[in-house]
Structure formats: C-alpha cells, structure tokens
Amino acid sequence: MFKKVLIANRGEIAVRVIRACRELGIPTVAVHSDVDRESLHVRLADESVCIGPAPATDSYLNIPALISAAEITGADAIHPGYGFLSENAHFAEVCESCGIKFIGPSPDSIKNMGDKVMARQLVERYGVPVLPGTDGPVSAEDPGLFKIAKKIGYPIMVKARAGGGGKGMRIVFEEGQLKDAILAAQGEAKLSFKEAGVFLEKYLESPHHIEVQIAGDMEGNVVSYPERDCTIQRRHQKLVEESPSPLVTDRLRKKMGKAARRAARAAKYVTVGTVEFLYDGESDFYFLEMNTRIQVEHPVTEIVTGIDLIKEQIRLAAGEELGYDKDDVRILGHAMECRINAEDPDNNFSPSPGKITGLILPGGPGVRVDTHIYAGYTVPTHYDSLLGKLIVGSARGRDAAVARMARALREFTVEGIKTTIPFHQKVMAHPAFRKGQFSTDFIDKYFSPNGANSHAK
Ligand code: MV4
C-alpha cells in the first residue's frame, strides 16, 4: 500500500479522498492555491503545500508544482480527483516517469478513451453496442460526405473526437445543414480541446443517460456495479443522479453490466471508471463514452452497494486484487444525489460566489453530505460552483428516497449566497419526477429559463 498520498485537487472531492485515506491509514498531503488556504481539505490533510496563485492553470493544473510538492513531502502516489488533471494522459505519464503512482488507469487507457472515435471502435470490437456512425473523422469537403450521412440516417449528431461535456456538438436534421454543422463543431472543438476532429453519429432523440460504474484490477478482473441514472441535466451539467434507474429492469441491468465490463476489458482498465450509455427507453442502449476517473456522482453507487469506491480505487491502484465479482454486489435499496451549486436558479443559474454567513447541514437517517463548506467559508470565483452533494439512501425504494431527499433539502440552509437547493425542492415535488417519468429534456420541458417551474406543460 502507498506510504503517503498527495491529492491534486480541491473542494469536496479532496475532502472525500482524504477521508478514504484516513480510514486506510495512509497519511495525506493537500495542495492548494493562494485563495484556498482556508479550505477544508487543507485543514483535514496531514500536510499541505501551496502550489501557486488562484487561476487553475497556475496551481491545480501546474504539473511541475504538483510533482515538486509530491517529491518534497515524500508522497508516493497522487490522487487526481475529477476535473483538472484527472483525465490527462500526459500527467499520468509524468507521474509514472517520476516514480509516483497515478491513482487511476494507465496513460494508454486514458488516451484510448479520450479519443471518442477510437473509444467507439475499440468497444465495438469487444461486442459493445454503438450507434451507427463514422469510423474516423469527417471533413465538410469530403465528396462522399452526403452518402456517408445518408447511410447513417438523419437526424445525425456531429461530435468532437476529443469531446465530452457537450462541447463541439451539433444536431443535423437534413443534408442542407450538414456542412455548416461540421464547420461549426470543428471550430468549437478547436477552441475547447485544441483538436478540431469531428465524427458523425446517429442522433437518438430524448434518450436517457444511464452510466455503469466499473472497476478493474491488474490481473484483468473486472466488476460492474448497479447503474446510475443521470438523465436530469441542464446544459450538460448533471443535477440529480440516482441508482438504480427507475427505468431499468433486471434483464436490462444484466445486459448493460455485461456491456460495461466488456468496455472495461477493451480499455484494459485498472482502478475505477464509468461507462456511459444512451438508452432509448424501450429496449436498446448504446455506448456513449467512458470516463477514466472517479466521478462526482460516485456516492450514489456507494450508498446503494455499501462499497467505498475511493478505497477501491486506491487499493486497485496499489496493485491489490478485486477479490469479488458482479454477483457479489447487491442493490441495497435506492440512492439519490442532488448537486448543491453556488448558483442562482432564479437567475439562469448564474454563479453566486461569496461568503457563507450561516450553514445548517441536514442529517438524520440515510443522509450523507459530501462538502468542503463551513460557516464563514468564502466560495472563490475561480473554480466550478459545486458546494457539495446531498446524498440519501433508503432500503424502502425510490418513493422513500425522494421523500427523504425532500426532507433533507428542507433542513439544508446556506446563508449569504444563492444555491440550487430551492430548485431541487421543485424537482422533488414534480409529479413527472416522482413517477420516474423523465428524459434528457426534463429541465427544458418543465422549468422555464428564469427557473420558475410549471406543472402545466
Ligand atoms: C448524444 C445524444 C443523442 N444521440 N449522442 C450529451 C453530452 C455528450 N457526452 C453526449 N451527449 C449526447 N450525445 C447521440 N448519438 C444526446 C446527447 C445529449 C444528452 C445526453 C445525456 C444527457 C443529456 C443530454 C442532453 C443533450 C444531449
């Protein structure tokens, strides 16, 4: 096992990783930027190192500063959290070449899955269903373009090969829109990812976003966990996640689990990762992408299985064997997570940083809060707006979990800044949500741009 772990991240995930290390008996090193000196992860770690000024490019993305901090403190492993350098194959390579274990998959796994064209091809060869699409990048000038598109069939989605998070994507309903869409997606992809390549894929209308957590060890053993439903999103930001999905039957769960394990094998995956699928709501699902990191919503799976995924991740990175398989993993009830952001839901979810003057965290049966905030903490403007996650679980199923979430949201009080708590209360009260009847258009369909909800529509 590792002697000391450096956490190359901030916020709630840094706190979460420190907690797992503490329980494993591993000393921790926090790193922080100038403005994060008073952050909770700095207080909870055994040691801390300031790695630079507030902008992430100068601190949390500063590879030389991170490697120096690990060397100075004698850390033999780095946990990247999510975001920042967590899916950066170059960083994983630098760690490796410095004799520091990157707590994540190999640089090759990260590279292969980061390229959405390669990922599609790789998993398809392992028998994972993918939507009809191109095997490589396309150009607006390609003389065979319309023929290729016709064969896929409209509507078509143009997607960035370096994509993810909804950037560099365009929907095309007819031939006349195709070239402009390719050019626009290429421009956006170039700006966002410094890589202009785009590919075509059949567009699936009003799908469900279902993802399957997987884990793999160095012996090639893989396991899949029950799915998470992440269909409730706004502009590609997930807002509510739950497990199991209200839509997924036992039969479908088995099929998706098998497909996810195949994708994990295709990537030669070690540690924990996630296979994302689009589900048509009837009988078919398709590989979307693989996330080669721990995700924000991992606690939903932890609550519904009783397995600590961060501990699993660290253990597997250290070379330990998985020691169990899919049939050993049980669904213990229903779990749900609401992301609590420093955003004003009545003002188009605009950022709301500032000082938290008062704070009451919810508690009681089946309630977990993963957060780095405290009364007196100032939310900086420089980073994402996630304040924390409210996670609930109930052995009695989805209705009980929704009731528990609504109860916990009522208790949750953050003073001094605006948060998404009132928005989540409206979601929990919404009849369609309560019935589990929603697809990716839920927010647009039921919540008007200013945040006022309408049950009438
Ligand atoms: C799609 C799709 C429909 N068809 N691909 C959104 C984020 C990015 N990872 C991929 N996304 C989508 N890809 C095909 N072929 C619809 C989406 C999509 C979406 C997916 C899941 C949850 C919410 C969404 C909102 C808009 C679009």
Side-chain angles (χ1 to χ4, degrees), residues 131 157 159 164-166 169 201-205 207-209 230-231 233 236 276 278 288-289 440:
L131 283 157
M157 209 167 198
K159 291 184 167 188
M169 282 181 3
E201 195 172 78
K202 174 132 193 94
Y203 177 66
L204 190 64
E205 262 163 302
H208 296 256
H209 177 125
C230 305
T231 302
Q233 311 194 358
H236 305 299
E276 294 188 354
L278 289 178
L288 191 56
E289 53 192 71
T440 47

Tab-separated table of all heavy atoms in Angstrom, residues 131 157 159 164-166 169 201-205 207-209 230-231 233 236 276 278 288-289 440, ligand 1:
chain	number	residue	atom	x	y	z
A	131	LEU	N	-23.964	3.357	-31.644
A	131	LEU	CA	-24.876	3.889	-32.652
A	131	LEU	C	-24.174	3.885	-34.000
A	131	LEU	O	-22.947	3.981	-34.058
A	131	LEU	CB	-25.297	5.316	-32.280
A	131	LEU	CG	-26.351	5.420	-31.179
A	131	LEU	CD1	-26.292	6.786	-30.511
A	131	LEU	CD2	-27.748	5.162	-31.731
A	157	MET	N	-25.785	13.436	-35.317
A	157	MET	CA	-25.070	14.332	-34.425
A	157	MET	C	-23.618	14.430	-34.881
A	157	MET	O	-22.988	13.416	-35.150
A	157	MET	CB	-25.147	13.811	-32.994
A	157	MET	CG	-25.071	14.925	-31.977
A	157	MET	SD	-25.539	14.301	-30.370
A	157	MET	CE	-25.893	15.812	-29.528
A	159	LYS	N	-20.021	15.282	-33.632
A	159	LYS	CA	-19.400	15.304	-32.304
A	159	LYS	C	-17.887	15.458	-32.393
A	159	LYS	O	-17.255	14.887	-33.292
A	159	LYS	CB	-19.666	13.973	-31.578
A	159	LYS	CG	-21.094	13.739	-31.182
A	159	LYS	CD	-21.187	12.450	-30.386
A	159	LYS	CE	-22.539	12.347	-29.715
A	159	LYS	NZ	-22.595	11.212	-28.794
A	164	GLY	N	-16.825	15.483	-25.132
A	164	GLY	CA	-17.296	15.282	-23.768
A	164	GLY	C	-17.874	16.594	-23.268
A	164	GLY	O	-17.479	17.662	-23.725
A	165	GLY	N	-18.822	16.477	-22.362
A	165	GLY	CA	-19.405	17.666	-21.748
A	165	GLY	C	-20.221	18.535	-22.690
A	165	GLY	O	-20.537	19.663	-22.347
A	166	GLY	N	-20.568	18.008	-23.845
A	166	GLY	CA	-21.489	18.714	-24.724
A	166	GLY	C	-20.860	19.776	-25.621
A	166	GLY	O	-21.555	20.408	-26.403
A	169	MET	N	-20.646	19.904	-30.283
A	169	MET	CA	-21.717	19.004	-30.738
A	169	MET	C	-22.754	19.779	-31.536
A	169	MET	O	-23.099	20.895	-31.174
A	169	MET	CB	-22.427	18.355	-29.537
A	169	MET	CG	-21.657	17.217	-28.929
A	169	MET	SD	-22.494	16.410	-27.532
A	169	MET	CE	-24.041	17.231	-27.431
A	201	GLU	N	-22.510	10.617	-35.832
A	201	GLU	CA	-23.183	9.523	-35.139
A	201	GLU	C	-24.676	9.734	-35.280
A	201	GLU	O	-25.138	10.874	-35.267
A	201	GLU	CB	-22.772	9.557	-33.650
A	201	GLU	CG	-23.099	8.299	-32.876
A	201	GLU	CD	-22.497	8.341	-31.475
A	201	GLU	OE1	-23.069	9.019	-30.609
A	201	GLU	OE2	-21.456	7.689	-31.254
A	202	LYS	N	-25.408	8.655	-35.403
A	202	LYS	CA	-26.870	8.769	-35.462
A	202	LYS	C	-27.359	9.438	-34.188
A	202	LYS	O	-26.892	9.124	-33.089
A	202	LYS	CB	-27.500	7.385	-35.609
A	202	LYS	CG	-29.004	7.390	-35.536
A	202	LYS	CD	-29.638	6.590	-36.669
A	202	LYS	CE	-31.123	6.878	-36.765
A	202	LYS	NZ	-31.393	7.953	-37.738
A	203	TYR	N	-28.269	10.398	-34.338
A	203	TYR	CA	-28.787	11.126	-33.177
A	203	TYR	C	-29.983	10.399	-32.591
A	203	TYR	O	-30.947	10.101	-33.287
A	203	TYR	CB	-29.183	12.548	-33.586
A	203	TYR	CG	-29.806	13.357	-32.473
A	203	TYR	CD1	-29.054	13.717	-31.359
A	203	TYR	CD2	-31.137	13.757	-32.534
A	203	TYR	CE1	-29.614	14.456	-30.321
A	203	TYR	CE2	-31.710	14.509	-31.501
A	203	TYR	CZ	-30.930	14.848	-30.404
A	203	TYR	OH	-31.482	15.568	-29.388
A	204	LEU	N	-29.904	10.125	-31.304
A	204	LEU	CA	-31.002	9.463	-30.601
A	204	LEU	C	-31.802	10.525	-29.867
A	204	LEU	O	-31.270	11.246	-29.025
A	204	LEU	CB	-30.414	8.442	-29.616
A	204	LEU	CG	-31.351	7.461	-28.938
A	204	LEU	CD1	-32.007	6.531	-29.945
A	204	LEU	CD2	-30.579	6.633	-27.916
A	205	GLU	N	-33.104	10.638	-30.185
A	205	GLU	CA	-33.921	11.696	-29.592
A	205	GLU	C	-34.447	11.339	-28.199
A	205	GLU	O	-34.768	10.182	-27.947
A	205	GLU	CB	-35.090	12.049	-30.527
A	205	GLU	CG	-34.754	13.289	-31.347
A	205	GLU	CD	-35.640	13.465	-32.562
A	205	GLU	OE1	-35.664	12.542	-33.400
A	205	GLU	OE2	-36.276	14.507	-32.676
A	207	PRO	N	-33.158	10.693	-25.198
A	207	PRO	CA	-32.659	9.459	-24.583
A	207	PRO	C	-32.558	9.594	-23.060
A	207	PRO	O	-32.784	10.667	-22.509
A	207	PRO	CB	-31.260	9.340	-25.175
A	207	PRO	CG	-30.819	10.758	-25.367
A	207	PRO	CD	-32.071	11.565	-25.652
A	208	HIS	N	-32.235	8.495	-22.431
A	208	HIS	CA	-31.894	8.506	-21.008
A	208	HIS	C	-30.404	8.314	-20.904
A	208	HIS	O	-29.812	7.574	-21.686
A	208	HIS	CB	-32.623	7.379	-20.278
A	208	HIS	CG	-34.094	7.559	-20.310
A	208	HIS	ND1	-34.815	8.008	-19.231
A	208	HIS	CD2	-34.978	7.398	-21.323
A	208	HIS	CE1	-36.082	8.098	-19.574
A	208	HIS	NE2	-36.215	7.736	-20.837
A	209	HIS	N	-29.830	9.024	-19.962
A	209	HIS	CA	-28.392	8.904	-19.745
A	209	HIS	C	-28.185	7.943	-18.578
A	209	HIS	O	-28.462	8.288	-17.441
A	209	HIS	CB	-27.801	10.284	-19.444
A	209	HIS	CG	-26.342	10.262	-19.145
A	209	HIS	ND1	-25.438	11.029	-19.828
A	209	HIS	CD2	-25.628	9.553	-18.255
A	209	HIS	CE1	-24.231	10.782	-19.355
A	209	HIS	NE2	-24.314	9.904	-18.401
A	230	CYS	N	-28.528	9.407	-14.821
A	230	CYS	CA	-28.070	10.806	-14.767
A	230	CYS	C	-28.811	11.636	-15.787
A	230	CYS	O	-28.267	12.561	-16.401
A	230	CYS	CB	-26.572	10.879	-15.026
A	230	CYS	SG	-25.599	9.857	-13.930
A	231	THR	N	-30.077	11.291	-15.994
A	231	THR	CA	-30.862	11.909	-17.049
A	231	THR	C	-31.204	13.368	-16.745
A	231	THR	O	-31.362	14.174	-17.660
A	231	THR	CB	-32.134	11.066	-17.288
A	231	THR	OG1	-31.717	9.737	-17.619
A	231	THR	CG2	-32.985	11.618	-18.396
A	233	GLN	N	-30.336	16.676	-16.339
A	233	GLN	CA	-29.201	17.551	-16.600
A	233	GLN	C	-29.701	18.876	-17.133
A	233	GLN	O	-30.792	18.967	-17.680
A	233	GLN	CB	-28.282	16.954	-17.675
A	233	GLN	CG	-27.897	15.516	-17.463
A	233	GLN	CD	-26.739	15.093	-18.357
A	233	GLN	OE1	-26.241	15.872	-19.166
A	233	GLN	NE2	-26.301	13.860	-18.199
A	236	HIS	N	-25.826	20.092	-20.106
A	236	HIS	CA	-24.792	19.072	-19.916
A	236	HIS	C	-24.186	19.049	-18.519
A	236	HIS	O	-23.194	18.375	-18.283
A	236	HIS	CB	-23.710	19.188	-20.988
A	236	HIS	CG	-24.296	19.131	-22.379
A	236	HIS	ND1	-24.984	18.027	-22.825
A	236	HIS	CD2	-24.340	20.041	-23.372
A	236	HIS	CE1	-25.421	18.282	-24.055
A	236	HIS	NE2	-25.049	19.486	-24.405
A	276	GLU	N	-20.594	5.220	-20.002
A	276	GLU	CA	-21.851	5.943	-20.212
A	276	GLU	C	-22.598	5.349	-21.395
A	276	GLU	O	-22.004	5.081	-22.440
A	276	GLU	CB	-21.573	7.420	-20.528
A	276	GLU	CG	-20.950	8.197	-19.398
A	276	GLU	CD	-20.884	9.700	-19.698
A	276	GLU	OE1	-21.213	10.128	-20.837
A	276	GLU	OE2	-20.506	10.436	-18.795
A	278	LEU	N	-26.400	5.684	-23.777
A	278	LEU	CA	-27.685	6.308	-24.071
A	278	LEU	C	-28.685	5.161	-24.163
A	278	LEU	O	-28.418	4.144	-24.805
A	278	LEU	CB	-27.646	7.059	-25.406
A	278	LEU	CG	-26.836	8.348	-25.455
A	278	LEU	CD1	-26.871	8.918	-26.871
A	278	LEU	CD2	-27.351	9.377	-24.461
A	288	LEU	N	-21.771	5.504	-25.156
A	288	LEU	CA	-21.590	6.929	-25.428
A	288	LEU	C	-20.127	7.300	-25.243
A	288	LEU	O	-19.473	7.770	-26.159
A	288	LEU	CB	-22.491	7.731	-24.494
A	288	LEU	CG	-22.656	9.218	-24.758
A	288	LEU	CD1	-23.152	9.478	-26.166
A	288	LEU	CD2	-23.638	9.811	-23.749
A	289	GLU	N	-19.617	7.107	-24.055
A	289	GLU	CA	-18.199	7.326	-23.805
A	289	GLU	C	-17.804	6.672	-22.501
A	289	GLU	O	-18.656	6.200	-21.749
A	289	GLU	CB	-17.847	8.814	-23.801
A	289	GLU	CG	-18.677	9.666	-22.889
A	289	GLU	CD	-18.476	11.162	-23.166
A	289	GLU	OE1	-18.925	11.669	-24.218
A	289	GLU	OE2	-17.852	11.815	-22.323
A	440	THR	N	-33.958	13.340	-21.088
A	440	THR	CA	-32.970	14.422	-21.005
A	440	THR	C	-33.562	15.812	-21.223
A	440	THR	O	-32.910	16.806	-20.955
A	440	THR	CB	-31.830	14.190	-22.012
A	440	THR	OG1	-32.421	13.854	-23.268
A	440	THR	CG2	-30.926	13.070	-21.565
B	1	MV4	C1	-25.856	12.059	-27.982
B	1	MV4	C2	-27.238	12.325	-27.896
B	1	MV4	C3	-28.052	11.730	-28.831
B	1	MV4	N1	-27.542	10.954	-29.796
B	1	MV4	N2	-25.408	11.282	-28.957
B	1	MV4	C4	-24.524	14.942	-24.397
B	1	MV4	C5	-23.205	15.012	-23.708
B	1	MV4	C6	-22.260	14.206	-24.505
B	1	MV4	N3	-21.476	13.379	-23.644
B	1	MV4	C7	-23.100	13.403	-25.427
B	1	MV4	N4	-24.448	13.899	-25.338
B	1	MV4	C8	-25.430	13.414	-26.152
B	1	MV4	N5	-24.995	12.585	-27.126
B	1	MV4	C9	-26.227	10.753	-29.860
B	1	MV4	N6	-25.741	9.997	-30.814
B	1	MV4	C10	-27.701	13.153	-26.897
B	1	MV4	C11	-26.788	13.726	-26.022
B	1	MV4	C12	-27.365	14.622	-25.058
B	1	MV4	C13	-27.531	14.233	-23.744
B	1	MV4	C14	-27.098	13.006	-23.291
B	1	MV4	C15	-27.266	12.630	-21.995
B	1	MV4	C16	-27.859	13.519	-21.110
B	1	MV4	C17	-28.274	14.750	-21.507
B	1	MV4	C18	-28.123	15.121	-22.837
B	1	MV4	C19	-28.553	16.387	-23.244
B	1	MV4	C20	-28.390	16.746	-24.542
B	1	MV4	C21	-27.790	15.866	-25.460
